[in-house]
Amino acid sequence: MKFAYRFSNLLGTVYRCGNLNFTCDGNSVISPVGNRITVFDLKNNKSNTLPLATRYNIKCVGLSPDGRLAVIVDEGGDALLVSLVCRSVLHHFHFKGRVHSVSFSPDGRKFVVTKGNIAQMYHAPGRKREFNAFVLDKTYFGPYDETTCIDWTDDSRCFAVGSKDMSTWVFGAERWDNLIYYALGGHKDAIVACFFECSSLDLYTLSQDGTLCVWQCDTPPEGLRLKAPTGWKADLLQREEDEDEGEQETTIRGKATPAAGEQQGKVQYSRLAKYFFNKEGDFNNLTAAAYHRKSHLLVTGFASGIFHLHELPEFNLIHSLSVSDQRIESVAINNSGDWIALGCSGLGQLLVWEWQSESYVLKQQGHFNSMVSLAYSPDGQYIVTGGDDGKVKVWNTLSGFCFITFTEHLSGVTGVTFTATGYVIVTSSMDGTVRAFDLHRYRNFRTFTSPRPTQFSCVAVDSSGEIVSAGAQDSFEIFIWSMQTGRLLEVLSGHEGPISGLCFNPMKSVLASASWDRTVRLWDMVDSWRTTETLALTSDALAVTFRPDGAELAVATLNSQITFWDPENAVQTGSIEGRHDLKTGRKELDKVTAKHSAKGKAFTTLCYSADGQSVLAGGMSKFVCIYHVREQILRKKFEISCNLSLDAMEEFLNRRKMTEFGNLALIDQDAGEENGVAVPLPGVRKGDMSSRHFKPEIRVTSLHFSPTGRCWAATSTEGLLIYSLDAQLLFDPFELDTSVTPGRVRAALRQRDFTRALLMAFRLNERKLVQEALESVPPDEIEVVSSSLPDLYVDKVLEFLASSFEVSRHLEFYLLWTQKLLVLHGQKLKARVGKLLPAVQFLQKSIQQHLDAISKLCDWNRYNMQYALAVSKQRGVKRPSEPPLSEEEEQDDDNDSLHLLGAGH
């Protein structure tokens, strides 16, 4: 089994913090998700997370006008220059301070960064190779407090910067004679956003207290004059610019109240109007805004979850809607002005709203609290997750979107599983219920309860889907229900501690239950639910799982061991010591070092790989380990996160945070932030003192291998991470010798020796060559070639067909290959079902996706044809004319209509 698994997608988290951006075509939203970036393709209904990560949570994203480059800055001031075309990092840079916003100029030649109380303008990286992609051009001083927002004019001549000191500054991007800087006041709170009008220097400024000021400039953009240098400086400056343009940094220092002599002949601003969003007595903080210049549309988001649409400059309200009761963190509008993206970090919510039709284009929300459990559907198309917020969400692995959320549980969900059919989800919860959900009608059709209220910690369903079992956390019992009737069949007693895990044998009606009483019990579901075996362990059992063929049992215990058992003979067959592989980190407030800490040094979740040769294990750590079962060695270790915004990420504490008075982590650093709690003076009531500031701890709560064996998923603090096999391996031959070359393969194809060509292509294992050899076989000779293939190569052809179904258009041709292979080699394949099961399930998943898509298309076409036939039949038929009414009937009709009108009043 190959282990070239790489991070492929992040589900379950759609928005964390930072600013949203639309791509230049307006069809995709770029959303910061923790320390990663996810691109939501709204046109093709897909989401994709870029395979890159920053060291801390992302603070702001700047997108170039052509949509090729993005500058991503995290909370620590580290920046990545990313190519969105090839999805890779081009350059690393550190801004040496916290950056609030970044914005490219419309011509794509410069970008401005606001950092502290200054604004810095850099030369935008070009398409040529250069040693330093970030060259500082100018530094602008002026504001006294932190700068918050940036906006450029259409011609890239000037930009405006807003500040927390309630002022807005207009700076010239070049050395203009009549506009070097200009300071605008008029607000009583921090500036949230500022926007230039289309092809003008007129400006709109918005402050946090919900105030909008409209500023008019007396000079058009064409009226800006370049400042000509004089004397020997002019010659020197000209010579330097000719030799090396843009290499020297210049500094521009602005004054809030310049002298009268400096203002003569300069650009002047005057305030035309001042508008207020809040009604009298309403104190609703404005938190985000976006402006579309062509349609003059202003979108504002507020701390209460309301957003307004106004038409400027008249300030006409178009409509006002509420997203939720949480703060709207970011707002963006696409190029056409039709779609509005809204992000709420409190709920992890991302909405794309089409304001003209008043409908949602996209409405996604992750789990409010951490995810606890996950399960793959039998065909690998769907993933179901349960969270501490009591919600059960089902995700499509192909599109990456959640398409149904069940909210029936009243407390945290502790376990989720699919039945063998793949259309029923069974979940357990701390609210004392086990619920079954139908994926056909999207409803909760069964609710299983215990005679006495109890908290369920885990759930399992047998291979037939008829028996549902759940383990109790407080009564130490296992409850068995019938799926058909919903009745409680049996209560299994015997454990002396909370039940930590349940698992059914895939091949037999045997239930394995793990408990904190240091035992694993095997219960026979056929023979009166008796305990057939009790497996004694050396420590508390935390997780239990069967191998896919049911011939082996793996148990994770509190002393960091994974033990393997033969369930038939109740004999231990092996054990793995994982204490040194997990490598838990030290939390900021821990008194004990990570090396000596006993907490968290155990695997809490286990799962077998699809072929049963390896086991995947994770716990209270950022690492996930894959072990070889028979050799009992570590095969590979995956680091699922490098985000230092999470706790317990590093083995040693940062010494710079240790002072003589203790750890700086004990002090709430963000108390003065706009969304933080302001530390009040005596007698002052401000802020919600009950709100908590804490760093989430990195942990892996659940792991699951896809039945296809191509990918595995992990629920962690960051969300639902999907790792897939890297299909872009350069060269991975099979039984290769010197006589096998691409030339020999093509020569065999020319001689119409298709079987030999196909075998040689598979030995080279070059995907394009295999595809060429396979597609060269005429359809009427597929049966002959299939019958002459050796058994070892039949497996490889089936795997290749399964992967080709996802990308190829030759659907009927590949279906013919699949049919002939399965018919001719069916009996031999059945004998090797254990080894071949992942490949067959991968094939089934690929064919099922095409079946769903084509069946929808055929149904749609059939209805259209029926409608066209019905219309054509009625075209030549005349409707019978109604006989004229007599005078009495007309009077009766008038009276009836009058009575109806009276009843309506």
Side-chain angles (χ1 to χ4, degrees):
M1 182 178 176
K2 297 185 181 68
F3 286 96
Y5 289 99
R6 290 195 180 181
F7 172 80
S8 67
N9 211 352
L10 173 64
L11 314 182
T13 313
V14 290
Y15 176 75
R16 278 276 170 86
C17 58
N19 62 315
L20 297 168
N21 284 279
F22 274 98
T23 52
C24 53
D25 60 359
N27 293 329
S28 301
V29 179
I30 297 175
S31 171
V33 184
N35 67 331
R36 297 182 185 272
I37 290 286
T38 302
V39 181
F40 294 95
D41 189 344
L42 305 174
K43 197 172 183 181
N44 300 316
N45 193 38
K46 280 190 177 181
S47 74
N48 206 337
T49 305
L50 302 184
L52 50 95
T54 55
R55 293 177 69 238
Y56 292 90
N57 283 336
I58 291 170
K59 179 71 175 171
C60 53
V61 179
L63 202 62
S64 66
D66 58 0
R68 291 171 175 269
L69 296 176
V71 174
I72 300 168
V73 188
D74 65 15
E75 291 172 347
D78 283 312
L80 299 179
L81 176 65
V82 176
S83 167
L84 296 176
V85 179
C86 59
R87 297 155 51 87
S88 58
V89 178
L90 303 179
H91 187 67
H92 292 260
F93 190 75
H94 189 59
F95 282 112
K96 299 176 183 174
R98 293 190 66 174
V99 173
H100 195 282
S101 55
V102 56
S103 177
F104 274 84
S105 62
D107 61 4
R109 296 177 60 194
K110 305 282 178 69
F111 69 90
V112 171
V113 168
T114 56
K115 182 185 74 174
N117 66 335
I118 63 171
Q120 291 183 322
M121 185 163 68
Y122 288 83
H123 289 280
R127 296 184 186 177
K128 61 182 186 297
R129 291 187 180 184
E130 48 199 342
F131 178 71
N132 184 10
F134 290 72
V135 178
L136 183 61
D137 183 21
K138 295 183 181 71
T139 302
Y140 297 87
F141 292 85
Y144 295 106
D145 206 343
E146 285 186 26
T147 46
T148 56
C149 55
I150 312 165
D151 192 55
W152 285 84
T153 54
D154 286 337
D155 54 6
S156 306
R157 294 177 174 222
C158 303
F159 64 92
V161 173
S163 170
K164 286 186 180 178
D165 66 359
M166 303 175 282
S167 65
T168 308
W169 293 73
V170 181
F171 292 110
E174 304 290 340
R175 283 194 290 260
W176 304 118
D177 187 27
N178 50 347
L179 176 61
I180 299 171
Y181 63 88
Y182 199 98
L184 301 168
H187 286 281
K188 296 181 179 178
D189 209 338
I191 305 296
V192 173
C194 53
F195 305 108
F196 280 105
E197 190 53 273
C198 186
S199 302
S200 169
L201 291 177
D202 296 348
L203 193 65
Y204 302 106
T205 56
L206 295 101
S207 61
Q208 197 173 323
D209 58 357
T211 306
L212 167 70
C213 287
V214 183
W215 303 91
Q216 187 181 31
C217 182
D218 63 351
T219 308
E222 301 81 30
L224 295 176
R225 304 183 304 273
L226 272 171
K227 187 174 184 180
T230 56
W232 62 271
K233 288 184 180 179
D235 302 332
L236 185 63
L237 193 63
Q238 188 65 36
R239 198 178 306 130
E240 284 180 0
E241 284 186 355
D242 289 343
E243 289 174 4
D244 190 2
E245 185 183 353
E247 287 298 321
Q248 287 213 349
E249 175 204 345
T250 55
T251 303
I252 295 169
R253 298 182 180 273
K255 301 175 188 174
T257 53
E262 293 180 22
Q263 296 180 6
Q264 290 180 3
K266 306 289 185 184
V267 167
Q268 296 290 331
Y269 275 91
S270 58
R271 194 173 71 192
L272 281 184
K274 192 172 185 178
Y275 300 107
F276 300 95
F277 289 93
N278 292 330
K279 295 172 184 173
E280 195 171 347
D282 184 16
F283 299 101
N284 194 359
N285 276 354
L286 190 147
T287 54
Y291 181 61
H292 190 255
R293 292 176 185 171
K294 291 177 184 174
S295 59
H296 303 286
L297 183 73
L298 176 69
V299 186
T300 48
F302 292 84
S304 60
I306 296 171
F307 72 94
H308 297 315
L309 268 74
H310 284 87
E311 188 181 10
L312 295 181
E314 290 82 15
F315 199 66
N316 297 327
L317 180 66
I318 298 170
H319 66 214
S320 173
L321 288 165
S322 175
V323 177
S324 63
D325 58 352
Q326 295 287 327
R327 165 194 182 93
I328 294 177
E329 200 75 32
S330 180
V331 176
I333 309 179
N334 73 340
N335 284 353
S336 62
D338 297 329
W339 292 348
I340 298 164
L342 304 158
C344 300
S345 60
L347 293 173
Q349 199 174 31
L350 177 63
L351 305 169
V352 179
W353 174 261
E354 189 172 29
W355 65 273
Q356 289 171 328
S357 64
E358 298 191 13
S359 60
Y360 288 112
V361 179
L362 173 72
K363 188 179 183 184
Q364 290 285 300
Q365 182 178 340
H367 286 278
F368 178 62
N369 288 333
S370 58
M371 291 184 188
V372 174
S373 55
L374 86 139
Y376 265 100
S377 63
D379 59 358
Q381 281 200 60
Y382 306 120
I383 297 176
V384 59
T385 57
D388 283 336
D389 55 357
K391 291 180 181 175
V392 177
K393 290 178 175 284
V394 188
W395 307 84
N396 188 324
T397 54
L398 193 65
S399 68
F401 286 122
C402 169
F403 63 91
I404 185 66
T405 302
F406 299 108
T407 57
E408 279 78 6
H409 282 298
L410 304 175
S411 186
V413 177
T414 53
V416 292
T417 184
F418 272 95
T419 58
T421 60
Y423 297 114
V424 176
I425 296 167
V426 183
T427 61
S428 61
S429 171
M430 300 292 274
D431 63 1
T433 62
V434 173
R435 296 177 185 268
F437 299 97
D438 180 11
L439 283 186
H440 280 307
R441 297 180 180 84
Y442 301 129
R443 64 192 179 98
N444 174 208
F445 71 96
R446 285 274 185 278
T447 302
F448 310 102
T449 55
S450 55
R452 294 186 308 276
T454 185
Q455 294 180 325
F456 294 117
S457 57
C458 48
V459 69
V461 182
D462 75 333
S463 54
S464 66
E466 296 296 320
I467 297 174
V468 178
S469 67
Q473 198 167 9
D474 41 9
S475 64
F476 313 154
E477 294 169 330
I478 300 164
F479 297 87
I480 309 290
W481 295 274
S482 165
M483 179 72 85
Q484 289 288 337
T485 62
R487 290 179 54 197
L488 181 66
L489 299 177
E490 189 68 28
V491 179
L492 307 180
S493 302
H495 279 296
E496 298 170 3
I499 313 297
S500 56
L502 291 175
C503 188
F504 272 99
N505 190 320
M507 301 299 168
K508 297 178 182 177
S509 290
V510 174
L511 175 68
S513 61
S515 171
W516 292 5
D517 62 1
R518 302 190 176 190
T519 62
V520 170
R521 292 176 182 261
L522 302 176
W523 311 83
D524 194 343
M525 296 288 104
V526 179
D527 190 10
S528 305
W529 295 293
R530 287 188 305 139
T531 309
T532 56
E533 295 291 349
T534 301
L535 313 178
L537 306 169
T538 55
S539 185
D540 300 4
L542 300 178
V544 62
T545 183
F546 272 102
R547 204 165 70 184
D549 61 358
E552 191 176 67
L553 185 73
V555 184
T557 52
L558 193 60
N559 59 356
S560 309
Q561 282 189 344
I562 302 171
T563 53
F564 301 98
W565 300 78
D566 178 5
E568 286 293 319
N569 306 315
V571 177
Q572 183 175 341
T573 57
S575 69
I576 291 172
E577 183 68 45
R579 184 180 299 274
H580 301 293
D581 298 327
L582 203 56
K583 276 196 178 176
T584 54
R586 183 177 177 181
K587 293 166 71 173
E588 286 188 339
L589 304 180
D590 279 353
K591 306 292 184 189
V592 184
T593 60
K595 187 177 180 181
H596 296 98
S597 171
K599 182 188 174 186
K601 286 200 171 179
F603 295 112
T604 56
T605 176
L606 276 180
C607 77
Y608 272 97
S609 60
D611 59 359
Q613 293 182 10
S614 307
V615 69
L616 199 62
M620 301 271 286
S621 164
K622 61 180 177 178
F623 292 109
V624 170
C625 304
I626 290 186
Y627 293 98
H628 192 284
V629 175
R630 196 173 68 249
E631 303 291 338
Q632 298 175 13
I633 56 170
L634 178 68
R635 276 188 156 181
K636 192 162 184 181
K637 192 156 70 169
F638 298 94
E639 185 179 4
I640 62 163
S641 177
C642 59
N643 189 359
L644 297 179
S645 296
L646 302 174
D647 210 355
M649 281 295 296
E650 294 182 293
E651 191 176 352
F652 303 103
L653 288 181
N654 190 344
R655 295 292 179 192
R656 283 175 286 186
K657 288 189 176 180
M658 301 302 292
T659 64
E660 56 183 320
F661 305 107
N663 195 344
L664 282 176
L666 291 165
I667 302 167
D668 196 356
Q669 297 286 345
D670 298 328
E673 294 289 321
E674 62 268 9
N675 55 351
V677 176
V679 179
L681 295 169
V684 176
R685 291 185 181 181
K686 186 181 179 184
D688 180 14
M689 297 305 291
S690 66
S691 68
R692 297 180 300 158
H693 289 269
F694 66 99
K695 289 176 77 170
E697 186 181 350
I698 184 70
R699 64 176 70 184
V700 178
T701 51
S702 183
L703 289 166
H704 211 282
F705 241 100
S706 169
T708 64
R710 306 283 300 175
C711 51
W712 55 269
T715 53
S716 71
T717 315
E718 292 205 308
L720 175 59
L721 300 156
I722 310 287
Y723 281 76
S724 300
L725 273 178
D726 185 15
Q728 297 175 346
L729 285 173
L730 296 177
F731 190 56
D732 185 21
F734 171 72
E735 292 185 357
L736 188 66
D737 59 22
T738 54
S739 64
V740 180
T741 61
R744 295 276 181 93
V745 174
R746 293 188 175 97
L749 287 175
R750 284 194 294 273
Q751 295 166 11
R752 299 184 66 81
D753 190 352
F754 299 114
T755 307
R756 191 163 64 90
L758 200 59
L759 294 180
M760 283 196 292
F762 271 107
R763 286 172 72 178
L764 268 174
N765 209 5
E766 282 280 339
R767 183 173 179 83
K768 288 186 178 178
L769 196 64
V770 172
Q771 185 178 346
E772 184 184 340
L774 202 70
E775 291 180 358
S776 300
V777 180
D780 53 351
E781 292 192 30
I782 289 176
E783 189 169 358
V784 180
V785 176
S786 299
S787 62
S788 60
L789 283 175
D791 293 344
L792 192 60
Y793 287 89
V794 172
D795 307 356
K796 293 191 167 295
V797 176
L798 282 174
E799 283 182 17
F800 179 80
L801 290 172
S803 59
S804 297
F805 271 118
E806 294 184 335
V807 292
S808 179
R809 298 177 182 177
H810 307 300
L811 189 58
E812 187 184 2
F813 181 77
Y814 283 122
L815 281 172
L816 272 173
W817 265 104
T818 309
Q819 183 192 15
K820 300 299 181 190
L821 282 171
L822 293 177
V823 168
L824 293 167
H825 299 272
Q827 292 299 322
K828 293 178 182 176
L829 293 174
K830 204 168 183 180
R832 306 198 308 276
V833 66
K835 187 181 176 184
L836 268 177
L837 192 61
V840 173
Q841 284 178 328
F842 186 30
L843 191 66
Q844 182 192 354
K845 175 190 173 185
S846 303
I847 295 173
Q848 185 69 39
Q849 284 174 359
H850 282 292
L851 176 64
D852 294 343
I854 292 171
S855 60
K856 282 180 186 175
L857 187 64
C858 292
D859 288 343
W860 175 251
N861 290 341
R862 196 175 68 213
Y863 297 146
N864 279 341
M865 286 188 283
Q866 286 174 357
Y867 175 74
L869 283 170
V871 169
S872 65
K873 284 177 184 176
Q874 287 186 355
R875 179 166 291 177
V877 180
K878 287 186 178 180
R879 293 184 181 177
S881 58
E882 296 179 2
L885 296 173
S886 62
E887 291 182 5
E888 292 179 0
E889 287 174 341
E890 283 181 5
Q891 282 181 352
D892 289 342
D893 282 349
D894 291 343
N895 292 335
D896 289 344
S897 62
L898 286 170
H899 285 311
L900 286 169
L901 286 168
H905 289 300

